Structures are given as structure tokens and as C-alpha cells.
Amino acid sequence: MLNIVITGAPGSGKGTQSDILVEKYGLKHISTGDLLRGEIAKGSELGMKAKTLIDAGNLVPDEIINGMLESVIKANLDAKGFIFDGYPRTVDQAKNLDTLLSAYNEKVTIMLNIDVNHDLLIERLLNRDKTSGRADDNIETINHRLEVYQSVTLPVAYYYRGTDRYHAVNNNTTIDDCFKQIEALIAEIKK
Ligand code: AMP
């Protein structure tokens, strides 16, 4: 399997790059944010618990996210690989992902850390706010999400940085340019 972790600040383009990766490599896209928004739309108990946290820009507890992730992995073991988008967001989640995958003799093949400068992130998120309908794409919540990212999620990059799986990708220019960098990294692994 080709298992890709794609991480980066809110607005860094994880979802957009994941969509292109799905099209090109036929991988199963797992976005924990999308899964949570699906639960909210269904009005499930899990969704109701998550909604208040998401709307305030806080993370949903690891136990909830880890359980949700495990069910999706189990249901898609016939996939060519997974793209984990927005997961792991804490070091505990990163450890959990390694444990989960190793139970199926699988591992994270590559970790892509998408880098975008702060002003551009804010600009992209505020633009997205015009069309996304997301309650968390307003300036106060965006600022809080960026703080949570800095304090809790950035250490996830350090978790992978010590290994050859870690790669930084620059997304300060265009979607195409960012994808070209990713494509080159994947081509290197497939050699
Ligand atoms: P995203 O669509 O990835 O930006 O996620 C939207 C929101 O869902 C986040 O701000 C969190 O509140 C929640 N969320 C998504 N993924 C996770 C995760 N792996 N751990 C905790 N909370 C998450």
C-alpha cells in the first residue's frame, strides 16, 4: 500500500492536494474533518459532541477520532493505499496510526508537511469562508485554529522528522507547483 500522511496548517491546501492524489494514484482519501462534518450532518451523537468543539476551533478528543479512523481503515483494507488528511493532529494520534497500520503489516509510507506562510493562510481561509459554508472559517476561529495548530499539531511534524518518511512541501505558489513537488517525492519512493 502507498500510505500518505498529509499535514499542514488549516488552509494549507491539504484537501485540494489530497483530491489530486486520489485522482492520480487511486488512493482512499480519509479526511477526519470531512468524516466529522458527515457525523454532524447526520445528527449523530458523535457529531453533536464534535460540533461545539469544531465550531470553536478546538480539536475533537483523540479517543473519538482514533475510533472513527480505525473503522474506516478496517472497511477499506482492499484499497491501494490511504491518504490521511488532517490526521494525525496530535503526537498521540501519530503513535496510534503507526500501531493501527502495523496490525495489518502496513505503515505510513510518506509524510508530507505542507508549508504556507501565515498571511497567505489567512487570505486563503477568508476566501474559502465565502463559499465553504463552514462555521469555523471566520477570522476569530481561524486565529484560534492556527494557535492550536502551532501548539498541538506542529509537534507531529517533529515526530516524523527523525525518519526518512518526512518531507516538507512548499505551497506558497500554485496548486500545480505544489503537486509537482509531491509527485516527484512519490516517484522517488516508487523507484
Ligand atoms: P479540517 O477539515 O481538517 O480542517 O478539520 C476541521 C475540524 O475538525 C478541526 O478544526 C477539528 O476541530 C476537527 N478535527 C479534524 N481532524 C481532527 C483530528 N485528527 N483530531 C482532532 N480534531 C480533528
Side-chain angles (χ1 to χ4, degrees):
M1 274 183 162
L2 172 61
N3 296 315
I4 303 176
V5 164
I6 188 157
T7 185
S12 57
K14 301 184 293 285
T16 305
Q17 295 299 324
S18 297
D19 289 344
I20 310 175
L21 280 164
V22 166
E23 200 166 306
K24 169 130 195 190
Y25 300 100
L27 306 173
K28 168 75 185 162
H29 182 193
I30 305 181
S31 155
T32 42
D34 284 350
L35 291 173
L36 290 166
R37 284 184 286 276
E39 292 295 326
I40 294 172
K42 274 195 280 180
S44 70
E45 197 182 324
L46 190 158
M48 293 306 99
K49 268 192 205 155
K51 184 175 174 10
T52 327
L53 294 161
I54 294 176
D55 287 355
N58 289 316
L59 294 186
V60 174
D62 286 350
E63 315 82 73
I64 294 185
I65 298 283
N66 289 342
M68 209 174 64
L69 188 92
E70 184 168 5
S71 328
V72 187
I73 290 181
K74 269 194 193 154
N76 289 281
L77 285 167
D78 56 346
K80 286 185 191 163
F82 295 106
I83 301 175
F84 300 100
D85 160 11
Y87 184 99
R89 255 184 166 92
T90 66
V91 171
D92 276 352
Q93 289 181 14
K95 291 180 182 165
N96 179 68
L97 182 60
D98 281 345
T99 310
L100 243 170
L101 289 175
S102 69
Y104 302 106
N105 286 324
E106 287 295 334
K107 62 180 173 49
V108 172
T109 321
I110 186 167
M111 190 272 195
L112 304 168
N113 190 24
I114 304 197
D115 185 52
V116 175
N117 74 50
H118 185 266
D119 291 351
L120 194 54
L121 282 177
I122 304 268
E123 188 187 314
R124 288 182 182 167
L125 284 164
L126 288 176
N127 266 330
R128 187 169 82 182
D129 182 32
K130 293 178 192 151
T131 52
S132 71
R134 282 177 56 163
D136 57 352
D137 278 348
N138 58 79
I139 191 67
E140 292 79 27
T141 315
I142 286 171
N143 280 328
H144 183 59
R145 285 161 66 205
L146 290 173
E147 278 163 23
V148 170
Y149 173 75
Q150 286 291 335
S151 57
V152 188
T153 305
L154 210 52
V156 172
Y158 300 119
Y159 176 80
Y160 290 98
R161 198 169 274 179
T163 72
D164 56 5
R165 301 181 290 182
Y166 175 89
H167 295 276
V169 176
N170 179 311
N171 194 13
N172 285 301
T173 56
T174 62
I175 293 172
D176 276 1
D177 176 60
C178 182
F179 191 69
K180 281 199 183 103
Q181 297 168 56
I182 295 177
E183 237 180 344
L185 290 167
I186 294 176
E188 212 35 54
I189 302 175
K190 290 193 155 191
K191 263 187 190 166

